[in-house]
Amino acid sequence: RNNSLMAYVTLEDATAPLELLAFSNVLKREGSLLQVGQVVVVTGKLSTREDKDPQILVDSVLPLAGITAPKVVVKPKTAKRLCLRVPAHDAEAGERLFPMLSFFPGNLPVVVVMEATGKRLGGTCHPDERLIARLQLLLGRENVVLQ
């Protein structure tokens, strides 16, 4: 649409191939990871249209090597709220944050601070260990605190 670079990438696992669509912002940041034989973790949105096979619209690509499951210091069951800080240098993380929280509906209050503007946003979620691990990968371990 806007004459920017994009790439169609085929991601394969032991079961089947899946087409990825990576736009210029992802290609600039993480395009070097999209190589034959590279083992990666991809996050994104599933796109399903009647006229095409399903594909993933890529938000991020991380190398699998070196990724370890973050440890949750406070048990989610005892937490009173989840505090998140979106780093000023990563505005895209803020855009991905609320859709991620929506996959874990619950009653625990969430406070989100946008470091670039100081703006505070709120919501609720159910902070199980999968969510905490994903948030720590997205925002950085130091920016995710269960209190």
Side-chain angles (χ1 to χ4, degrees), residues 67-131:
I67 293 179
T68 58
K71 293 185 178 169
V72 178
V73 177
V74 178
K75 293 187 179 184
K77 292 179 183 178
T78 62
K80 292 188 172 56
R81 70 179 173 172
L82 174 61
C83 299
L84 306 171
R85 182 176 55 206
V86 178
H89 67 275
D90 195 1
E92 288 184 21
E95 294 172 13
R96 295 193 304 248
L97 181 62
F98 284 98
M100 186 183 298
L101 291 172
S102 71
F103 280 106
F104 296 86
N107 297 324
L108 187 77
V110 178
V111 177
V112 178
V113 176
M114 306 299 286
E115 190 175 61
T117 62
K119 187 174 182 180
R120 296 172 72 89
L121 305 169
T124 59
C125 73
H126 174 74
D128 74 7
E129 290 183 10
R130 296 171 300 157
L131 174 62

